[in-house]
């Protein structure tokens, strides 16, 4: 099933021609309407007419989150406020949020893009969908909400939090689809267990998880505990929100809505394009956005592009599961460590759960990595020798993957903090 088969199954040549036509248009549009872009182009003597091929995109300077911050709140808008019909913001870890704004056409395009990924994930008009993302400035809730409405499903805007009530609503209102962060999805399943509600008591069949990274192991757990077919979907506020890309039933990368978002992968250090299929930082150019056009926005997300044919019949380029953010990468004793690598190891050990905390400290001149992780069965904590064996196993596996030693502490089930939105797992005390 396709939401827009003409685009989703378009031939590669035709897609590239469409992208080029749109790229030329958006570059001219941004140059003429946003002083920030004009200044950047003028500084290097670049003119919109210099963009004649898709490869010419590499002549355009990158845009970063700092540029959005420096132009807070509305400095990068290409239209007067009068034409803006919606404002969102991403929370940002320090100080002011990043503000993004949409015209009426942007909202239509956004819901189409989200509708495409919903249908690719198996969503249908007959679904009753519970949106358990926090409603508000966050793009996740309203983004998925309007996409599901476009598909014609019945939408329950439950928002996040009050998890027992979430479970009650899901059961009583007959939700067949759940939208949440993967960590909140798992938390919902724990609360269900506490409430004595089994997956068989619910009608859930699919789960659309996004806004933070999730591993295949996590998806398996979501599948086992909630009885859903889980898929991953990706996006970011600066580009549109959710709707940049999403997995289909074959789960072999997220199909990018390439007619609206032109993807590139660059080397994090040299900032040069990588060879086809290599890992690096995702850079996106919005090809059609009116309110806040973004030229070569550096997402900081690490992925790779997949161009071979997908069994689902979509011809669009896919992006692999996000491996981490370049600014999430920890350098511990000189070794690069991505939290997602640690998660992958933890999730592969059946006795421990997906709830963990990573703490990095500096003791003297040496970095210390501690991982607190919950065991699944509390009884394990009473058996000293079994516990020691398990700790040894976790440390060994971590060492193979990370090349460094970690202190592993096994803690009681349900004892670590839970999150209703994106989980925050890393505490780096060295920066304080
Ligand atoms: O999280 C948009 C979104 C909402 C996507 C709901 C999917 C579902 P921001 O709050 O601006 O927007 O955060 C964007 O979240 O740069 C990634 O680092 C991370 N992220 C988003 N989706 C995924 C994913 C929304 N599927 C930032 N896997 C991005 C891994 C993700 N990381």
């Amino acid at each position: 099933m396709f939401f827009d088969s003409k685009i989703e199954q378009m031939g590669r040549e035709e897609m590239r021609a469409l992208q080029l036509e749109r790229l030329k248009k958006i570059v001219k549009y941004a140059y003429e309407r946003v002083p920030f872009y004009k200044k950047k182009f003028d500084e290097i003597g670049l003119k919109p007419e210099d963009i004649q091929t898709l490869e010419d995109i590499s002549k355009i300077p990158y845009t970063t989150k700092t540029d959005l911050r420096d132009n807070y709140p509305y400095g990068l808008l290409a239209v007067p406020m009068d034409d803006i019909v919606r404002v969102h913001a991403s929370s940002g870890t320090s100080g002011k949020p990043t503000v993004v704004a949409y015209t009426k056409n942007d909202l239509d395009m956004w819901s189409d893009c989200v509708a495409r990924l919903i249908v690719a994930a198996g969503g249908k008009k007959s679904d009753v969908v519970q949106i358990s993302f926090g409603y508000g400035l966050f793009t996740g809730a309203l983004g998925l909400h309007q996409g599901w409405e476009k598909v014609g499903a019945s939408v329950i805007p439950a928002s996040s939090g009050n998890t027992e009530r979430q479970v009650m609503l899901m059961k009583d209102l007959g939700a067949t689809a759940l939208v949440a962060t993967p960590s909140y999805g798992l938390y919902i399943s724990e609360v269900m267990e506490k409430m004595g509600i089994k997956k068989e008591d619910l009608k859930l069949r699919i789960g659309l998880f996004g806004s933070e990274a999730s591993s295949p192991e996590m998806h398996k757990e979501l599948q086992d505990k909630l009885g859903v077919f889980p898929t991953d979907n990706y996006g970011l506020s600066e580009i549109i929100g959710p709707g940049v890309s999403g997995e289909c039933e074959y789960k072999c990368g997220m199909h990018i809505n390439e007619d609206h978002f032109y993807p590139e992968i660059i080397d994090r250090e040299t900032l040069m394009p990588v060879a086809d299929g290599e890992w690096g930082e995702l850079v996106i150019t919005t090809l059609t956005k009116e309110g806040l056009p973004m030229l070569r926005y550096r997402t900081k997300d690490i992925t790779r592009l997949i161009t071979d044919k997908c069994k689902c019949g979509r011809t669009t380029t896919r992006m692999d599961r996000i491996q981490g953010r370049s600014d999430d990468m920890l350098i511990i004793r000189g070794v690069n460590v991505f939290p997602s690598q640690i998660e992958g190891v933890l999730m592969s050990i059946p006795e421990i759960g997906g709830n963990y905390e990573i703490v990095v400290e500096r003791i003297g001149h040496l970095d210390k990595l501690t991982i607190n992780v919950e065991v699944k069965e509390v009884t394990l904590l009473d058996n000293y020798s079994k516990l020691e064996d398990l700790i040894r196993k976790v440390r060994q596996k971590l060492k193979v993957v990370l090349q460094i030693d970690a202190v592993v502490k096994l803690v009681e089930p349900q004892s670590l903090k839970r999150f209703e939105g994106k989980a925050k797992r890393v505490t780096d005390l060295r920066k304080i």
Side-chain angles (χ1 to χ4, degrees), residues 133 138 140 211-213 232-237 301 322 325 422:
F133 278 142
F138 176 52
S211 190
E212 65 178 5
D232 189 3
N233 68 87
Y234 167 86
L236 62 165
S237 320
D301 293 315
I322 301 290
R325 285 181 58 80
K422 298 180 198 246

Side-chain angles (χ1 to χ4, degrees), residues 190-242:
E190 287 176 357
V191 173
M192 269 166 57
E193 217 171 295
K194 267 197 220 151
M195 292 168 72
I197 292 184
K198 296 195 198 64
K199 60 181 178 193
E200 292 76 19
D201 300 329
L202 303 177
K203 292 196 183 137
L204 282 184
R205 57 173 205 95
I206 55 173
L208 273 69
F209 300 103
S211 190
E212 65 178 5
S214 52
S215 53
E217 292 82 7
M218 218 167 163
H219 275 208
K220 185 171 179 305
E221 209 163 327
L222 286 162
Q223 184 155 15
D224 291 347
K225 295 204 166 147
L226 290 172
V228 293
F229 181 77
T231 49
D232 189 3
N233 68 87
Y234 167 86
L236 62 165
S237 320
E238 294 85 342
I239 295 302
I240 191 78

